[in-house]
Amino acid sequence: MQTETLLTDTETSTRETVARAVALLRSGEVVALPTETVYGLGADALNPAAVAKIFEAKERPHFDPLIVHLPNKTMVRDVAEIPDDIAKTVTQLVETFWPGPLTLLLPKKPVVPDLVTSGLPTVAVRQGEHPVFHRILKQFGGPVAAPSANRFGALSPTSAALVRDQLEGRIPLIVDGGACSRGLESTIVRVVPATPKPVIEVLRPGPVTEDDLKKFGKVVFATRNTTVEDAAPEAPGRLAAHYAPRTPLRLLESPRDFSPEPGKRYALLSYRGQEKDGYLALHPWSEVAVLSPGSGRVAEAGIRLFHLLGQLDQHGHDEIVAEPVPDRGIGRAILDKLRKASFRP
Ligand code: TXA
Ligand code: MG
């Protein structure tokens, strides 16, 4: 299959690209689409044959359910039930964070194919905020299932070029909407009724942080292995490969833990590129990439994480050593990704 990449850099090109993407979605095809978090691989969420093509292109196991993207907030009621005991909180979250990088787990309606939810009684829903994505959904007029547009277990792509690296020849179209403004996958939550206030359980940390969520309920972070993706049976090497570049990566929690093997080429993924953090001078690194140069901002680090990992991955290093980032705000999501990508030495 030939994979076409279409631009959205002028009004005319955008109009043509949107029309092409919508036509493909209507005919039951998959299309890689830009979102504000990472690129998604979309298909008509209500068409099981179309959804099956997502799993095929990604080589994603069928036990791993997909996120359903909505063209507007009201459509949530078409695909999901909103139980009375959490309705107030769900409405507040939707009104506050949509369109945006928050995904909610809700009981699913029968219209959603079981393939989308991997047979689970819940469906993951969000309304994204990328303008091109929004136009495509609006014209398509229905829900679009879209997981991240990577091969299963590999880095989530934050640009059209990174999608092409992974899915060329497997899908008909990549819509190039530029680099993703958030760079990390959406925060996934579920609301659990409780007194005196509801519990907001974070299943996957992301751009919407604990601070953002706490005025709507008591925020708890699900302990490890709670999204289905994590809980999946551990095939050999599967966890090691998760969210991972092809080059082995290790989160080095302390500079003292570093014991390089002679002759190996180590690259450093530094948080802010400051010698005083103890990593820069630790080793004659074959390359240093800095997530947020200067004083260090976790939000900037989040935007650049997958992009820089993707670049380091192409430079032939034997190993990528990652400095920890501060465990606050979106830093929590970054650490979560780095830990999952880390191999165990
Ligand atoms: O930012 C994002 O969320 C991106 C963009 C494209 O929207 N999408 C994304 O999708 O990251 P994906 O499929 O790579 O990650 C979705 C996660 C998986 O860990 C999956 O197991 C979990 O959501 N998930 C989906 N439906 C679920 C459900 N009903 N119950 C529990 N976990 C679910
Ligand atoms: Mg993914």
Side-chain angles (χ1 to χ4, degrees):
M1 186 188 296
Q2 280 271 74
T3 302
E4 206 182 355
T5 300
L6 293 179
L7 298 178
T8 55
D9 53 345
T10 63
E11 177 49 31
T12 310
S13 68
T14 304
R15 203 180 315 120
E16 286 168 11
T17 300
V18 168
R20 176 90 183 113
V22 170
L24 283 167
L25 290 173
R26 290 217 172 106
S27 68
E29 280 303 326
V30 292
V31 182
L33 300 167
T35 88
E36 79 279 29
T37 57
V38 301
Y39 274 69
L41 184 61
D44 181 349
L46 305 184
N47 175 348
V51 171
K53 292 183 186 167
I54 296 178
F55 286 93
E56 217 173 287
K58 284 186 55 115
E59 295 175 36
R60 181 175 175 119
H62 283 221
F63 54 68
D64 196 6
L66 310 178
I67 294 178
V68 172
H69 296 73
L70 306 171
N72 56 57
K73 292 177 193 165
T74 47
M75 201 176 275
V76 69
R77 292 190 183 270
D78 295 346
V79 295
E81 307 281 353
I82 305 182
D84 288 344
D85 54 1
I86 59 169
K88 187 171 157 226
T89 311
V90 167
T91 306
Q92 285 171 335
L93 293 175
V94 163
E95 290 302 327
T96 309
F97 298 108
W98 285 8
L102 182 74
T103 297
L104 287 160
L105 287 190
L106 290 168
K108 89 174 192 69
K109 286 214 165 141
V111 63
V112 180
D114 283 333
L115 189 54
V116 171
T117 61
S118 300
L120 291 170
T122 51
V123 59
V125 284
R126 88 175 182 102
Q127 188 197 3
E129 72 183 346
H130 192 289
V132 174
F133 187 72
H134 180 67
R135 249 169 99 163
I136 292 170
L137 256 77
K138 213 172 132 193
Q139 260 189 49
F140 178 66
V144 167
S148 49
N150 51 288
R151 297 267 197 115
F152 184 69
L155 283 177
S156 298
T158 48
S159 69
L162 291 168
V163 177
R164 181 169 279 281
D165 281 352
Q166 299 199 42
L167 296 180
E168 170 140 50
R170 300 177 149 254
I171 58 174
L173 176 64
I174 300 170
V175 173
D176 189 340
C180 299
S181 63
R182 300 293 194 139
L184 287 179
E185 298 96 336
S186 62
T187 306
I188 303 181
V189 302
R190 104 176 115 212
V191 181
V192 184
T195 42
K197 53 179 176 180
V199 168
I200 300 174
E201 188 182 15
V202 178
L203 287 100
R204 179 174 72 180
V208 173
T209 64
E210 178 173 11
D211 262 0
D212 299 327
L213 293 167
K214 70 183 180 206
K215 66 173 159 186
F216 305 101
K218 180 174 154 51
V219 179
V220 302
F221 285 85
T223 43
R224 272 181 53 81
N225 293 347
T226 41
T227 69
V228 173
E229 200 169 38
D230 294 337
E234 225 178 289
R238 191 186 157 281
L239 260 187
H242 209 85
Y243 294 116
R246 284 172 286 249
T247 313
L249 178 142
R250 174 157 45 129
L251 174 63
L252 193 62
E253 304 272 1
S254 156
R256 284 190 305 274
D257 301 341
F258 189 53
S259 45
E261 285 173 40
K264 266 194 163 186
R265 288 164 44 86
Y266 293 89
L268 177 68
L269 181 69
S270 171
Y271 172 48
R272 50 185 191 168
Q274 299 263 5
E275 208 150 298
K276 64 184 175 207
D277 294 335
Y279 289 84
L280 270 189
L282 194 59
H283 185 77
W285 306 106
S286 48
E287 182 178 352
V288 176
V290 183
L291 286 168
S292 179
S295 48
R297 289 185 298 129
V298 281
E300 180 182 35
I303 293 168
R304 286 159 55 79
L305 176 69
F306 288 141
H307 174 73
L308 288 183
L309 279 177
Q311 280 187 347
L312 287 177
D313 206 16
Q314 292 181 353
H315 296 168
H317 306 291
D318 292 309
E319 193 178 315
I320 299 168
V321 172
E323 275 181 34
V325 305
D327 189 3
R328 58 161 193 268
I330 199 169
R332 186 187 268 267
I334 299 172
L335 287 170
D336 183 56
K337 311 288 170 201
L338 290 174
R339 290 208 175 98
K340 283 184 179 143
S342 274
F343 72 100
R344 285 172 229 132

